[in-house]
Amino acid sequence: MSLAERLINNIKGENIRIVFPEATDPRVLGAVVRLKREELLEPVLVGNPDEIYKVAEDQGFNLTDIEIFDPENYDKFDEMVASFVDRRNGKATEEQAREVLKGGNYFGTMLVYMDIADGLISGAVHSTSDTVRPALQIVKTRPGTSLTSGAFLMLRKNDQFIFSDCAINPNPNAEQLAEIAIESARTAKMFGIDPKVALLSFSTKGSASGDMVSKVVDATKIAKEQAPDLALDGELQFDAAFTPDVAMKKAPESDVAGNANVFVFPELQSGNIGYKIAQRLGGFEAIGPILQGLAKPIADLSRGCTEEDVYKLSIITANQFLLQE
């Protein structure tokens, strides 16, 4: 069974409700119609119904039996406002809440927080910050985690890897990097990948020195203390982490070097560059970013996404919900 088939089988019949705040985008509507037709999940659209139906008509999409929530005419809006004010704990007045909740991302995230829906997907139109900010303010991180991070599932034929963090944290410290490594292993398991985690650096086992190397060394130590059963090692250069012959020379005693399948970059710049090189030069399909560490699944699309990207990330987000159950 392929990875796609396994993920689809996981969610079929589970009636998982996923919110789509960008419901006037044709890419989103096309994916939603397909997901509903294939009975993979229950889509919940957010926006003005007339505008949504107009786009659907222009594109030839049938929205029969697909639920639409209009923030301007929502019968539980007062309840939502009160819940938002309470969640923000003095950081938002009722008047401010009524205004901000007219926005699709905030409204949709509150649907998830109030357990009216199980997850949310945005980012086809909005920036990452516009998607992540409501999630951090409302859903927040899962107990035991302190931050969210963005992983990519990298696919090419039979190859499956996790690259992280490639989307959120510009320069994590050692404690944060350790947490990202552990969360990335959790993401790998969701895809049936037995995680072997490499914390990457320009140094392998002391071949170079400096603050940037020390951070990765410290992060490795912290992660091993927090997850002693996890196959994890660092600091490793990418060639030592990936190539067995190089690993034998540079890190012969490592149980991860040469066999890594989860690659944790030391900061956002290298992570973002690395996944794009693998995607554009290496021919890998990059699915994500998959947001890790949140209490409920919120997914961030790229604004350059295709309908197929929306479809696939929806399936992954539904699987994240099952993983958290």
Side-chain angles (χ1 to χ4, degrees), residues 1 29 44 59 64 67 75 85 87 184 257 261 276:
M1 186 181 296
L29 280 186
V44 176
Q59 298 293 323
T64 301
E67 197 168 10
D75 58 3
V85 171
R87 186 61 166 167
S184 299
N261 51 25
K276 288 182 183 294

Side-chain angles (χ1 to χ4, degrees), residues 108-120:
T109 303
M110 281 300 297
L111 291 178
V112 177
Y113 174 67
M114 298 170 70
D115 291 326
I116 297 168
D118 302 313
L120 175 144

Side-chain angles (χ1 to χ4, degrees), residues 209-260:
S209 61
D211 291 343
M212 290 185 288
V213 175
S214 297
K215 180 179 77 170
V216 179
V217 173
D218 293 343
T220 302
K221 180 179 178 181
I222 294 167
K224 285 184 174 181
E225 290 172 351
Q226 294 179 352
D229 295 331
L230 181 62
L232 177 148
D233 203 6
E235 85 285 17
L236 295 170
Q237 292 164 285
F238 185 83
D239 57 354
F242 183 74
T243 308
D245 289 347
V246 177
M248 287 297 295
K249 297 174 183 176
K250 292 187 174 184
E253 297 181 0
S254 174
D255 61 349
V256 167
N259 296 292

Side-chain angles (χ1 to χ4, degrees), residues 24-42:
T24 56
D25 189 288
R27 298 167 295 175
V28 173
L29 280 186
V32 162
V33 168
R34 181 178 170 190
L35 291 160
K36 178 67 175 180
R37 183 177 66 247
E38 295 175 4
E39 300 181 343
L40 299 185
L41 50 81
E42 291 296 326

Side-chain angles (χ1 to χ4, degrees), residues 114-176:
M114 298 170 70
D115 291 326
I116 297 168
D118 302 313
L120 175 144
I121 293 177
S122 187
V125 176
H126 294 88
S127 67
T128 292
S129 61
D130 286 338
T131 301
V132 174
R133 187 182 303 110
L136 292 177
Q137 291 178 354
I138 299 167
V139 169
K140 302 186 179 181
T141 55
R142 193 173 63 251
T145 62
S146 64
L147 79 167
T148 186
S149 55
F152 278 83
L153 173 63
M154 309 297 292
L155 301 176
R156 186 183 63 185
K157 296 182 180 179
N158 294 325
D159 293 328
Q160 300 176 16
F161 303 112
I162 298 293
F163 282 18
S164 183
D165 173 16
C166 303
I168 304 295
N169 300 283
N171 189 23
N173 60 33
E175 290 78 11
Q176 292 171 330

